[in-house]
Amino acid sequence: MKRKMTGGLCRLLCATAIAATLGGVAKAGEPFDLNALIEAAKKEKPITVYDSTGKIVEMAKNFAAKYGVGAEGAKVKASAQLEMVIREARANNIQGDVSIISDAPAAMAQLIPMGFVESWLPPDLAGNIPPEYQDPLTVVTSANVWAYNTELFDKCPVSNIWELTDPKWKGKVAMQDPLGKASYVDWFNQMAAHGDGEVKAAYKALYGKELETAEASATAAWVKALAANAPLLTDADAAAAEAVGTPGQKEPFMGLISSAKFRDNADKGMKLGLCKELKPWIGWLYPGVGLITKGTNSPNAAKLFIHYVMTAEGIAPQAIDGKMSTNKDVKLPADEPSGIGAVLDRVLPYSMATSLEDWDARETWQDFWRVNYKK
């Protein structure tokens, strides 16, 4: 959906809406009766939960079995979630009661300030969740990481992201199309806002000279060079993962994929390896924001589900895919396939504080990519 508000107006409305509707954000130690919430939830109608991962189906079943509260999970892409939540609200026909949406900028720019959803922070868990993830509540952070084929290489063949712009890798980098995946252009904006110095330093480390560019930032220079190097663009992580990790290849690809795809090593015989030493980052994080639809007939069941997914038991089906709970007491399982948990300090984090700036800059970055992309 295209923007309908200027950045300044959007920020004003967002701040006002959050202050008005979420003013009761929980604080650590606030009285909270989980048993009372459970009993209230049992009296309500079953809920439907939207998420962009199919694991939500299993999570909803586990929730229903644990609490005796009806719940159904529906895999819905973030862009479709945005449209469905807005359409259902305007039609006064709420179908989705909870939305775990991986498009934080859209949530901050449209869903919250326009009053379609609200955030709820479980009071008994507030002390375990960093402040930047509390309002609105970020349920998980997920990693997109650089990967290589372990059948072809003993270690990652690339040590610096600028190498991916060299002729050697022309047409040999697989990734989702930034024109169809908004989180990729959000990543560009996050790099420019919070890591541009590292991108510039990486250039000097590789080439032994300072970066000279007419672009607005080192990040823009890198994005331009990557686009011009004819990367293989896909419409899903699965296709990028196959380009990189399919066994029996002779022409190697590098790829940018979700950490979840490393499960394909066991499930499909893939040969995906994590580029653990890549400079300045091995990948980037993006958030999944947990929101309750205003007008739901089951507000207590919705709150209970949010509470559930903030626990180790609740998020377990996603944790095995390398998706990390913002609850500091919840850790990734030891057998998580990608190994991302051991190298999180080498991943570019996502700053919720500048998510509205990401929203405002999307069209600019998409146009920039479109102009510079070469097939």
Side-chain angles (χ1 to χ4, degrees), residues 21-256:
T21 63
L22 310 181
V25 170
K27 295 180 174 59
E30 182 177 319
F32 175 68
D33 189 339
L34 179 58
N35 290 327
L37 182 62
I38 294 170
E39 291 307 311
K42 287 180 177 179
K43 299 174 183 178
E44 296 177 342
K45 295 180 180 179
I47 60 172
T48 297
V49 184
Y50 298 152
D51 199 340
S52 55
T53 170
K55 293 297 183 74
I56 196 61
V57 175
E58 179 184 354
M59 292 164 67
K61 287 181 179 178
N62 293 346
F63 168 81
K66 180 178 179 67
Y67 293 115
V69 176
E72 180 178 359
K75 180 181 179 180
V76 183
K77 289 185 176 180
S79 57
Q81 280 188 56
L82 180 67
E83 295 182 4
M84 289 167 66
V85 169
I86 293 174
R87 185 171 64 246
E88 291 170 13
R90 287 175 171 164
N92 196 26
N93 181 27
I94 304 302
Q95 300 296 314
D97 304 277
V98 176
S99 175
I100 301 177
I101 186 167
S102 58
D103 192 338
M108 293 292 287
Q110 290 196 323
L111 296 184
I112 293 174
M114 296 175 75
F116 298 126
V117 298
E118 58 187 350
S119 177
W120 180 73
L121 176 66
D124 58 328
L125 301 177
N128 297 337
I129 301 169
E132 62 267 28
Y133 293 137
Q134 292 191 6
D135 189 6
L137 177 65
T138 299
V139 173
V140 294
T141 57
S142 305
N144 271 27
V145 294
W146 291 103
Y148 68 101
N149 188 305
T150 57
E151 192 174 55
L152 296 173
F153 301 100
D154 293 331
K155 64 178 183 178
C156 184
V158 173
S159 63
N160 188 308
I161 63 170
W162 283 97
E163 291 181 60
L164 299 172
T165 69
D166 288 343
K168 177 181 178 180
W169 292 100
K170 185 176 180 65
K172 296 296 183 180
V173 175
M175 58 185 281
Q176 287 201 61
D177 188 347
L179 300 183
K181 187 73 171 177
S183 61
Y184 275 62
V185 289
D186 294 342
W187 165 47
F188 298 160
N189 203 58
Q190 288 276 319
M191 272 198 294
H194 305 292
D196 202 63
E198 287 90 334
V199 177
K200 186 176 182 180
Y203 180 93
K204 184 176 182 180
L206 180 63
Y207 298 116
K209 60 183 180 179
E210 296 289 346
L211 172 66
E212 295 182 6
T213 179
E215 302 304 329
S217 63
T219 297
W222 179 79
V223 171
K224 179 179 181 178
L226 179 67
N229 215 27
L232 172 66
L233 302 182
T234 70
D235 60 0
D237 275 328
E242 288 174 3
V244 176
T246 299
Q249 295 189 67
K250 295 182 179 179
E251 294 292 331
F253 272 83
M254 284 287 295
L256 186 59

Side-chain angles (χ1 to χ4, degrees), residues 169-331:
W169 292 100
K170 185 176 180 65
K172 296 296 183 180
V173 175
M175 58 185 281
Q176 287 201 61
D177 188 347
L179 300 183
K181 187 73 171 177
S183 61
Y184 275 62
V185 289
D186 294 342
W187 165 47
F188 298 160
N189 203 58
Q190 288 276 319
M191 272 198 294
H194 305 292
D196 202 63
E198 287 90 334
V199 177
K200 186 176 182 180
Y203 180 93
K204 184 176 182 180
L206 180 63
Y207 298 116
K209 60 183 180 179
E210 296 289 346
L211 172 66
E212 295 182 6
T213 179
E215 302 304 329
S217 63
T219 297
W222 179 79
V223 171
K224 179 179 181 178
L226 179 67
N229 215 27
L232 172 66
L233 302 182
T234 70
D235 60 0
D237 275 328
E242 288 174 3
V244 176
T246 299
Q249 295 189 67
K250 295 182 179 179
E251 294 292 331
F253 272 83
M254 284 287 295
L256 186 59
I257 60 175
S258 167
S259 62
K261 289 303 168 186
F262 284 78
R263 65 173 179 257
D264 291 345
N265 284 347
D267 295 346
K268 299 180 181 180
M270 292 286 192
K271 305 296 182 180
L272 295 168
L274 179 64
C275 286
K276 296 181 180 180
E277 304 297 332
L278 194 64
K279 303 294 184 182
W281 308 286
I282 66 171
W284 49 281
L285 296 178
Y286 60 96
V289 180
L291 301 166
I292 297 174
T293 307
K294 284 191 178 181
T296 173
N297 290 320
S298 305
N300 293 296
K303 286 183 178 180
L304 185 60
F305 188 85
I306 290 291
H307 186 282
Y308 176 69
V309 297
M310 295 307 300
T311 66
E313 179 183 0
I315 202 63
Q318 291 192 29
I320 193 62
D321 287 342
K323 297 187 177 183
M324 293 153 283
S325 173
T326 59
N327 183 340
K328 293 182 290 186
D329 284 351
V330 178
K331 308 300 181 185

